[in-house]
Amino acid sequence: MHCDLAMSEFQSTPKIPDSEVTPPALYFNRRKLMRAGALAASVAGTGWIYRRLNTMSLTATDAPKLPTLVASPSTVASATREGVGEALTSLMAVTHYNNFYEFTTDKDRVAERAAGFSTTGWKVEVDGLVHKPKTFDLDDLLRIAPPEERVYRMRCVEAWSMVVPWVGFSLSKLLERVEPTSSAKYVAFQTLHDPVRMPGQKTNVLEWPYVEGLRLDEAMHPLTLLARGLYGMDLPAQDGAPIRLVVPWKYGFKGIKSIVRISLVADQPATSWNRYAAHEYGFLANVNPEVDHPRWSQATEQRIGETGRRRTLMFNGYAEQVAHLYAGLDLRANY
Ligand SMILES: Nc1nc2c(c(=O)[nH]1)N[C@H]1C(S)=C(S)[C@@H](COP(=O)(O)O)O[C@H]1N2
Ligand SMILES: [Mo]
């Protein structure tokens, strides 16, 4: 799918200087502009492309509709389209502005690189410190719990954000099935490792497979979602098909995509971004506007589809539900 940019829209607006960290929205816009042969982006142009993305109707990523969604429990009542109180990010932006380094580090090219990714025969192994280890195929996973729509803010550590209507069920439902033993304290997750199907894994931009982890109490929190869809459809490949994690009060990188293994463990597991740069990406990685990334501020964010910046909320706006998990921890030290 292409956004035909009418270049005249950009031409009379002022140039803006490069800053050390290119705002993601601007980066995205600039890529489109470069492809269209233009020389400079503009503040006005940045807003324009997102307004346009937000109103564009989608056909190319239309996927089979999921079965009727069920109501979420009252513990996550704020996660409905009405409850979230903010506009949804367009399907176009959610599916064409992605981080998924297994395909490419180019956010606006993940969709095209991931097109045709097959999830046939997918299995998720759930093992480790559990009484009933089990390998689930996709049908098994779909039978664990009926799908709910959960509308969550997603805040990337790079200071951009979206509001996404995910489809899935609480990870706790899966974990209850396998019955963690009393020595299980953490949950470790792993993405598929298959450089043929995920050509980005032929590079060493990260150590593969991508791995993530949660404390067991975080994993059991009702907000923690195993997502199999968005916008009422199966997950598009670029968003982590066929199954990914969504932890809305943490930075987006905790939301590991295309999961093949979930292990209950006693010790804090290694995580990809922490391995890459431990001083920049912590294990907890809770959204915290008061703790800056060493290279940029986390106080504000660019909501994709909007002009201007929003203030970032403590725990991404989920403090009421999750702050108790971190009582007694120095949140500054446990970034
Ligand atoms: N396996 C894997 N999972 C991943 C990533 C990745 O590169 N590989 N990127 C993470 C980051 S940094 C973000 S912000 C979100 C982006 O999810 P989205 O593309 O669906 O918006 O996925 C996360 N999960
Ligand atoms: Mo991210």
Side-chain angles (χ1 to χ4, degrees):
M1 189 172 334
H2 299 281
C3 329
D4 359 279
L5 298 181
M7 296 315 304
S8 58
E9 297 270 355
F10 296 97
Q11 273 155 11
S12 60
T13 44
K15 291 182 181 182
I16 57 163
D18 282 336
S19 54
E20 197 201 340
V21 177
T22 305
L26 181 55
Y27 162 83
F28 185 39
N29 190 39
R30 185 176 289 150
R31 286 300 309 261
K32 299 285 183 203
L33 286 168
M34 289 191 309
R35 226 173 283 160
L39 294 174
S42 73
V43 173
T46 303
W48 177 83
I49 189 172
Y50 285 112
R51 281 195 302 279
R52 185 173 166 111
L53 282 172
N54 273 344
T55 55
M56 212 177 293
S57 68
L58 257 215
T59 50
T61 59
D62 270 359
K65 288 265 186 291
L66 289 166
T68 314
L69 306 177
V70 301
S72 296
S74 55
T75 39
V76 294
S78 68
T80 61
R81 292 191 189 207
E82 303 73 43
V84 75
E86 296 175 46
L88 301 186
T89 302
S90 72
L91 175 58
M92 179 68 184
V94 170
T95 57
H96 291 78
Y97 186 75
N98 300 100
N99 270 332
F100 202 168
Y101 281 19
E102 282 83 344
F103 292 101
T104 170
T105 57
D106 237 355
K107 291 181 188 17
D108 52 340
R109 287 202 160 143
V110 176
E112 67 193 56
R113 296 281 163 83
F117 178 71
S118 168
T119 59
T120 306
W122 197 273
K123 289 191 171 31
V124 181
E125 206 181 331
V126 187
D127 63 4
L129 302 172
V130 296
H131 292 295
K132 297 184 170 163
K134 180 174 164 66
T135 299
F136 295 83
D137 65 23
L138 282 182
D139 287 343
D140 297 331
L141 284 176
L142 301 188
R143 274 194 296 268
I144 287 180
E148 300 162 32
E149 180 167 85
R150 298 278 189 91
V151 183
Y152 289 156
R153 287 176 290 276
M154 183 178 79
R155 172 55 160 84
C156 175
V157 76
E158 299 165 322
W160 54 267
S161 63
M162 296 186 178
V163 179
V164 183
W166 301 106
V167 174
F169 55 82
S170 290
L171 173 65
S172 64
K173 302 246 165 89
L174 172 75
L175 297 179
E176 282 159 8
R177 285 297 167 96
V178 296
E179 298 177 17
T181 70
S182 58
S183 37
K185 297 288 182 273
Y186 292 88
V187 186
F189 303 85
Q190 218 177 88
T191 294
L192 176 71
H193 189 197
D194 183 342
V196 174
R197 289 155 76 196
M198 294 181 149
Q201 290 177 337
K202 291 174 186 161
T203 72
N204 52 18
V205 56
L206 286 175
E207 215 177 288
W208 311 111
Y210 194 102
V211 287
E212 255 305 334
L214 295 171
R215 295 189 332 209
L216 184 56
D217 60 340
E218 297 174 324
M220 293 300 289
H221 191 284
L223 281 176
T224 302
L225 191 71
L226 261 188
R228 53 181 272 206
L230 53 79
Y231 268 105
M233 312 179 312
D234 287 332
L235 265 188
Q238 60 267 36
D239 292 287
I243 192 125
R244 57 104 44 97
L245 185 68
V246 181
V247 194
W249 70 93
K250 294 179 178 285
Y251 289 116
F253 65 83
K254 299 294 289 184
I256 182 172
K257 296 176 168 182
S258 304
I259 296 168
V260 293
R261 188 168 184 200
I262 299 176
S263 305
L264 283 284
V265 294
D267 301 314
Q268 182 176 304
T271 61
S272 284
W273 282 99
N274 183 257
R275 237 183 216 160
Y276 176 83
H279 63 293
E280 297 194 346
Y281 308 103
F283 177 81
L284 288 181
N286 293 320
V287 174
N288 187 341
E290 290 163 19
V291 180
D292 287 340
H293 187 279
R295 291 181 285 128
W296 58 83
S297 165
Q298 295 291 26
T300 65
E301 65 201 52
Q302 172 79 57
R303 174 66 51 81
I304 302 301
E306 292 181 351
T307 51
R309 296 181 75 80
R310 288 178 171 251
R311 301 180 72 82
T312 290
L313 304 173
M314 185 62 91
F315 294 111
N316 203 24
Y318 300 96
E320 208 176 295
Q321 291 101 310
V322 302
H324 69 275
L325 295 174
Y326 310 102
L329 273 193
D330 176 358
L331 294 177
R332 297 193 63 87
N334 284 279
Y335 163 75

